[in-house]
Amino acid sequence: MKKIYFLLLTFLISTISFGQVVINEIDADTPGTDTAEFIELKGTPGASLNGLVVVLFNGSNDTSYAAYDLDGKTLDANGFFILANTPLISGQDIDLGASNSLQNGADAVAVYTADETDFPNGTAPTTTNLVDAIVYGTSDADATGLLTGLGETVQYDENLNSASDSESLQLNAAGTAYETKTPTFRLENNAAVCELSLTSTTAVCDASTTGTDTYTATVDFSGGGTSTYTVTADSGTVDLTAGDPSVDATGTITVTGVVEGTDVMISVTDGGLCDLESTVTSPVCEPSIGLPLYEGFDYTVGADLGDQPNWNNFSGSDNPIDVVAGSLSYPNLEDSTGNSVHLEGGFIDSELVFTPVTSGEIFTSFIINVRDLSNITDLADGGYVVVLGDFDVRLWIHPDTDPVGTTYDIAITNSSTGSNFTTTKFNVNDNVFIVMSYNIDTGAINGWINPADSDLGGTAPAALITDIDTSPSASIDTFILRQDSTGETPSMDFDELRIGTSWSDVTPNTLSINQVEANTFNVYPNPTSTGYVNITSKTNDVINVAVFDILGKQVLNNAVNNNRLDVSTLTTGVYIMKISQNGQVITKKLVVK
């Protein structure tokens, strides 16, 4: 008999405890894709929630669509318990999922003394064992079925102030009705809080060179438009074009022109509750393209070269260098993988920055096709269209003044004026293969034009053009395509750019490579879809292989183990292999399927 009295007393205490649990706040409509939804219960701090279930009802059919058991849960030290989207939860909170878990209305939330199994989806609302309930919407017509089924008389409007995504429904101090206000997540509903939040940050380099660059910093915000805010930064210039927290509910604060190596602190204050700070860490704005480098201009026809990966427009504002259809070729030079680009004058120059070469010799090669010389008015020296380094080596195109006007000569020099032009004349609409080199240690400049097939892929022959830089640069890290005035720049196509530290890096001759390979190396399968390639030679000495992507970035550098190179980490595409053994070096295309 005593046991019965004890059980009865326990039931009465539980009933009283459950009766004190209320739905304190609900935010069903939040900014963006609804990733900040929550239901906040409130009661006696530390009280157990065993025996309770939270049920969600859909006003479109007046039945339940989710239920969450609270067994094993307790109210926290402040008397709160949270059910929320994934980004908001912590501790013992119940995860409602990443987003869009609470329907915006007309819908309802109810707390019952029951189990979730008592409320399978599609269950009608009831007042049996009901502890608390709220019927809500966002300017929706009343859900009379839910109101009647839950014994409620009022459907509360989260959009009462036309700001449903930035306000929530909160139980008033008397516990008699709900108010539409700025969310007070895990706080008392009458707590004074800063409504603005600073969230994710970014830092993007404006350029990536070996010198000191600038970057642009951003910080996203939400809860704006609720006060007058002052935005400052301890470096750079504040730009509120993409979001002003004094006006916009959400947006992005931008700070431009921050010096690389300097972290920037962005501060937002309103002279009252809000005194927020967010620090954006400086990125490292260094070139990441290694050598040897190959650029086949495999981009969309009509695109601006300066918008492509690793390229940057750094001078001029009109007439960018465009990607054009088709590619240029030279006998026995490895085939192009993409399109080409077109220069015609107009003052926009594009540059490619790579890992600096600080000693020895740097080589570059490319193919040009001059389409039209008729616009050139500077007949003294024409103009220069290619630059290696900080104007250390320049390629000049000079129109010949014969009666036909369809030939030109070429100079490769350090000079800022055309000089030392070739005696050989080159024809409009012919592909011309050019190799240039610069010795960082001595300032020596060499140039080759249309080298013989037998010289490709081996060692450099005697140069056709030579010059000297009497004040050699300490490093070379830039390649420039230059469009001077229309009176100095011919209409021309440019393709097959290669940059490396040896003649063989920039003159890959398919014929000569195959001959060397036949004599010394065997590479198979190629193309490969097996995750490996076999590389063998006539000797058992170590074979080293470096693999580069088409932009020249090194992606593998390994010694061959048991004649097998593991390429399983490479994605589908075309790569360049540099294979070396006992001083014998070849380059070879690798195709991964």
Side-chain angles (χ1 to χ4, degrees):
M1 192 68 172
K2 289 182 179 179
K3 188 177 294 185
I4 294 173
Y5 289 148
F6 176 77
L7 291 173
L8 179 59
L9 179 61
T10 301
F11 175 76
L12 291 174
I13 293 173
S14 299
T15 302
I16 293 171
S17 174
F18 293 158
Q20 294 172 341
V21 174
V22 296
I23 300 170
N24 192 53
E25 185 174 359
I26 176 172
D27 195 357
D29 190 10
T30 67
T33 56
D34 283 350
T35 59
E37 303 163 324
F38 69 90
I39 300 167
E40 183 182 83
L41 305 183
K42 190 172 184 291
T44 304
S48 171
L49 298 176
N50 286 342
L52 294 182
V53 61
V54 174
V55 183
L56 310 183
F57 290 97
N58 187 343
S60 65
N61 57 15
D62 297 333
T63 62
S64 65
Y65 65 92
Y68 301 92
D69 234 328
L70 302 187
D71 287 342
K73 307 294 185 179
T74 59
L75 296 169
D76 68 18
N78 296 312
F80 297 116
F81 182 80
I82 301 294
L83 301 89
N85 289 140
T86 307
L88 298 183
I89 65 167
S90 63
Q92 64 168 345
D93 296 347
I94 289 178
D95 189 349
L96 297 179
S99 63
N100 290 306
S101 303
L102 296 181
Q103 297 185 15
N104 290 350
D107 298 295
V109 176
V111 180
Y112 288 93
T113 306
D115 188 89
E116 67 178 352
T117 58
D118 298 324
F119 289 91
N121 289 352
T123 302
T126 177
T127 56
T128 302
N129 297 323
L130 181 65
V131 174
D132 197 14
I134 176 175
V135 180
Y136 65 90
T138 49
S139 299
D140 301 291
D142 282 357
T144 55
L146 294 182
L147 291 168
T148 301
L150 295 170
E152 297 292 319
T153 57
V154 177
Q155 178 172 302
Y156 294 97
D157 186 7
E158 189 176 336
N159 198 43
L160 182 66
N161 302 319
S162 300
S164 61
D165 62 346
S166 60
E167 294 188 327
S168 67
L169 294 170
Q170 303 168 36
L171 191 63
N172 65 13
T176 57
Y178 287 86
E179 300 172 335
T180 305
K181 302 192 307 183
T182 300
T184 56
F185 182 67
R186 293 191 203 274
L187 296 170
E188 295 295 335
N189 290 345
N190 59 355
V193 296
C194 176
E195 298 169 355
L196 183 71
S197 295
L198 302 183
T199 55
S200 58
T201 63
T202 65
V204 178
C205 296
D206 298 325
S208 293
T209 72
T210 54
T212 300
D213 300 300
T214 60
Y215 69 94
T216 298
T218 67
V219 58
D220 295 335
F221 67 84
S222 61
T226 52
S227 184
T228 300
Y229 298 98
T230 299
V231 182
T232 59
D234 62 359
S235 184
T237 302
V238 174
D239 180 357
L240 301 181
T241 304
D244 183 348
S246 296
V247 177
D248 303 314
T250 61
T252 300
I253 298 168
T254 303
V255 180
T256 61
V258 187
V259 177
E260 178 189 5
T262 303
D263 298 342
V264 58
M265 179 181 291
I266 302 170
S267 302
V268 184
T269 62
D270 67 353
L273 294 171
C274 291
D275 186 4
L276 307 178
E277 293 179 344
S278 181
T279 298
V280 181
T281 302
S282 170
V284 177
C285 305
E286 292 292 325
S288 59
I289 308 174
L291 302 182
L293 176 156
Y294 169 69
E295 171 63 278
F297 302 102
D298 191 10
Y299 309 123
T300 302
V301 172
D304 178 352
L305 178 61
D307 294 334
Q308 307 314 309
N310 303 308
W311 287 92
N312 173 54
N313 286 339
F314 73 100
S315 176
S317 58
D318 297 315
N319 195 26
I321 297 172
D322 295 325
V323 178
V324 293
S327 57
L328 307 180
S329 63
Y330 184 72
N332 293 322
L333 189 71
E334 284 192 358
D335 293 337
S336 172
T337 62
N339 290 303
S340 53
V341 293
H342 184 74
L343 293 74
E344 59 185 3
F347 304 101
I348 282 191
D349 303 334
S350 298
E351 66 178 354
L352 177 70
V353 181
F354 48 86
T355 303
V357 177
T358 57
S359 63
E361 205 165 8
I362 181 170
F363 290 78
T364 181
S365 71
F366 45 85
I367 304 173
I368 66 171
N369 188 311
V370 174
R371 302 295 186 183
D372 187 3
L373 293 163
S374 61
N375 60 300
I376 295 184
T377 57
D378 184 349
L379 301 180
D381 53 13
Y384 61 95
V385 292
V386 169
V387 178
L388 180 63
D390 187 16
F391 297 91
D392 298 289
V393 186
R394 316 179 200 212
L395 174 77
W396 292 78
I397 303 294
H398 173 240
D400 192 54
T401 55
D402 67 354
V404 179
T406 58
T407 61
Y408 59 94
D409 24 74
I410 292 173
I412 297 173
T413 178
N414 174 253
S415 175
S416 60
T417 58
S419 60
N420 197 26
F421 286 99
T422 59
T423 57
T424 302
K425 307 299 181 182
F426 302 94
N427 296 316
V428 167
N429 291 319
D430 283 353
N431 289 350
V432 179
F433 180 48
I434 297 171
V435 184
M436 309 189 311
S437 74
Y438 182 88
N439 191 307
I440 296 166
D441 301 324
T442 66
I445 296 170
N446 290 310
W448 299 262
I449 303 176
N450 291 337
D453 292 349
S454 58
D455 290 326
L456 301 186
T459 57
L464 176 67
I465 301 173
T466 61
D467 196 18
I468 190 74
D469 181 358
T470 56
S471 300
S473 291
S475 67
I476 301 290
D477 68 349
T478 308
F479 182 90
I480 297 171
L481 288 176
R482 185 173 187 266
Q483 293 191 123
D484 207 333
S485 69
T486 54
E488 296 171 287
T489 308
S491 173
M492 59 177 285
D493 295 342
F494 180 97
D495 198 10
E496 294 301 277
L497 171 63
R498 290 178 170 87
I499 304 173
T501 55
S502 69
W503 171 268
S504 61
D505 281 346
V506 300
T507 61
N509 186 330
T510 304
L511 177 61
S512 64
I513 290 173
N514 289 341
Q515 290 171 340
V516 170
E517 186 176 301
N519 293 330
T520 59
F521 296 104
N522 188 21
V523 180
Y524 62 94
N526 189 15
T528 180
S529 58
T530 62
Y532 65 86
V533 290
N534 297 306
I535 303 176
T536 61
S537 72
K538 293 182 178 180
T539 72
N540 293 323
D541 295 326
V542 174
I543 300 173
N544 293 297
V545 181
V547 180
F548 303 86
D549 63 20
I550 61 172
L551 293 178
K553 182 178 180 181
Q554 183 172 285
V555 293
L556 284 178
N557 189 4
N558 296 322
V560 175
N561 184 22
N562 294 326
N563 297 326
R564 177 168 289 189
L565 178 67
D566 184 356
V567 296
S568 59
T569 59
L570 302 182
T571 58
T572 300
V574 178
Y575 298 86
I576 303 296
M577 293 192 298
K578 188 174 183 178
I579 307 171
S580 60
Q581 182 186 53
N582 295 331
Q584 175 69 62
V585 179
I586 67 166
T587 57
K588 175 70 176 176
K589 272 187 183 178
L590 169 66
V591 179
V592 177
K593 291 186 173 181

